[in-house]
Amino acid sequence: MNTHNVLDSIGNTPLLPLRRMIEPGMAQVLMKMEAWNPSGSLKDRVVKYIVEEAEAAGTLKPHHVIIDASSGNTGIALGMVASLKGYRSQIFMPVTKSIERRKIMRVWGTELVLTSGEDQNSHIWAAEELAKDTEHYFYLNQNGNAGNVMSHYWGTGQEIVEETSGRIDSFVAGAGTGGTLMGVARYFRNHDVKARVVGIQPATPISRIEGLLHFDGHFQPKIWDESFLDDFVKVTDDVALDTARRLAREEGLFCGPSTGGIVAVALDEARRLGSGKTVVAIACDRGERYLSTPLVPEG
Ligand code: PMP
């Protein structure tokens, strides 16, 4: 009997080189295609890792409702994992995030609670309040659970090092919870990979770059450790959206705004480092989840 299921197709994503966006004299830029995970984002690895770790430890019980705060991608990944495994799930998300996110979560059967758009962390405070009821709820806690970092350490980080034989000069990713950056940077550090680690964040607290946190001192994820970063670059909405559109038109890769911001910074890195060097950048999620937003031109 074939027992292969959707969870087995999480991870081992391809590493694709940019072609037309690279000019002579620039380093190569390799895109780690996390958008091609089955639910469409880098969060599939995180949810699978944390849920299965908790199942093995006995802290997640069959009657638990799995809850978390999410800007959308973790909620969508949780909907997929929970439906396959037979758990109920509930997600807190700010009202400002794209309508597609809400609809996809509804398809999975996830219960969605919308929180204020004025405070970029309103969904986190709401989830933490409910998480106190440990009898009925299992709190995934992507902002505080070390499993988030470890899923990228043993997944994204290890795969990138194996696929490039460790020959990486710069790594660029977005900072939401910091799971991707911390996990990959730790893997590099423990395996003697000397690449620069570059994080990106939105230039403003309220931003069109969904999924990333503007670090303004009000909230810092528990798993965050800035000492792993060599550079932390602020990106404007315009640059992120323009670059995401270019990525579709010039490279055939339709991804979301955070990927646009990451590629803009990865191209700067590639220009500075010059030919013969390698930059790895994360393609975080699929563009289709932003069809109703300014990413897609009207008309
Ligand atoms: N891009 C998008 C679209 C995201 O949803 C997230 C996660 N919120 C990130 C980037 C950043 O990932 P991480 O949480 O690992 O920092």
Side-chain angles (χ1 to χ4, degrees):
M1 190 176 67
N2 184 358
T3 55
H4 192 81
N5 71 39
V6 69
L7 299 184
D8 301 323
S9 53
I10 293 174
N12 291 313
T13 51
L15 203 52
L16 303 182
L18 295 184
R19 298 185 185 281
R20 293 178 57 205
M21 290 172 99
I22 302 294
E23 289 146 29
M26 284 168 72
Q28 68 167 342
V29 175
L30 304 177
M31 299 302 300
K32 180 69 171 157
M33 293 307 303
E34 290 306 289
W36 290 358
N37 277 303
S39 95
S41 87
L42 74 179
K43 290 299 181 182
D44 284 8
R45 299 176 185 274
V46 176
V47 173
K48 178 185 175 190
Y49 190 98
I50 294 177
V51 165
E52 293 193 339
E53 192 177 56
E55 282 177 332
T59 48
L60 170 58
K61 307 276 195 307
H63 73 273
H64 273 144
V65 180
I66 307 176
I67 63 168
D68 209 356
S70 167
S71 63
N73 281 328
T74 299
I76 291 168
L78 175 60
M80 181 184 75
V81 172
S83 74
L84 184 83
K85 287 176 172 283
Y87 296 102
R88 283 175 57 207
S89 57
Q90 184 174 336
I91 284 293
F92 294 83
M93 182 174 83
V95 69
T96 45
K97 307 300 171 190
S98 80
I99 200 83
E100 288 83 346
R101 288 163 148 67
R102 293 186 206 175
K103 291 193 172 180
I104 299 169
M105 279 187 246
R106 259 184 227 135
V107 171
W108 296 122
T110 302
E111 197 182 315
L112 183 60
V113 182
L114 295 172
T115 63
S116 157
E118 273 145 48
D119 171 3
Q120 63 168 339
N121 301 311
S122 58
H123 56 316
I124 299 172
W125 317 138
E128 289 193 341
E129 198 47 46
L130 193 63
K132 289 177 188 156
D133 179 358
T134 52
E135 172 54 30
H136 298 101
Y137 298 99
F138 174 81
Y139 185 29
L140 196 82
N141 192 11
Q142 58 167 339
N143 283 294
N145 191 320
N148 179 357
V149 176
M150 295 319 289
S151 72
H152 286 292
Y153 183 97
W154 292 118
T156 326
Q158 182 172 23
E159 288 169 27
I160 290 170
V161 170
E162 284 176 3
E163 285 163 309
T164 58
S165 306
R167 285 192 284 274
I168 311 152
D169 301 286
S170 175
F171 171 72
V172 187
T177 61
T180 319
L181 282 161
M182 300 304 125
V184 173
R186 260 175 224 262
Y187 194 89
F188 285 178
R189 201 177 268 188
N190 290 347
H191 295 81
D192 213 25
V193 174
K194 300 274 185 278
R196 273 165 58 72
V197 175
V198 180
I200 78 149
Q201 61 168 316
T204 48
I206 303 297
S207 160
R208 288 280 174 192
I209 315 178
E210 297 184 31
L212 300 192
L213 179 69
H214 171 74
F215 283 67
D216 56 8
H218 291 305
F219 171 76
Q220 185 167 298
K222 276 197 201 71
I223 59 172
W224 181 253
D225 179 353
E226 206 162 318
S227 72
F228 279 95
L229 299 192
D230 295 293
D231 214 345
F232 198 13
V233 183
K234 289 197 173 83
V235 178
T236 64
D237 288 5
D238 283 351
V239 166
L241 297 178
D242 283 350
T243 313
R245 287 184 210 111
R246 278 191 66 199
L247 195 62
R249 289 173 187 180
E250 297 178 39
E251 302 284 349
L253 294 175
F254 183 32
C255 293
S258 70
T259 307
I262 289 166
V263 168
V265 172
L267 291 172
D268 288 343
E269 290 282 294
R271 240 170 251 120
R272 256 186 333 94
L273 286 165
S275 55
K277 305 285 185 186
T278 297
V279 180
V280 173
I282 299 284
C284 305
D285 67 354
R286 294 190 197 136
E288 286 88 343
R289 74 191 36 160
Y290 303 91
L291 293 177
S292 69
T293 77
L295 175 64
V296 181
E298 291 290 325

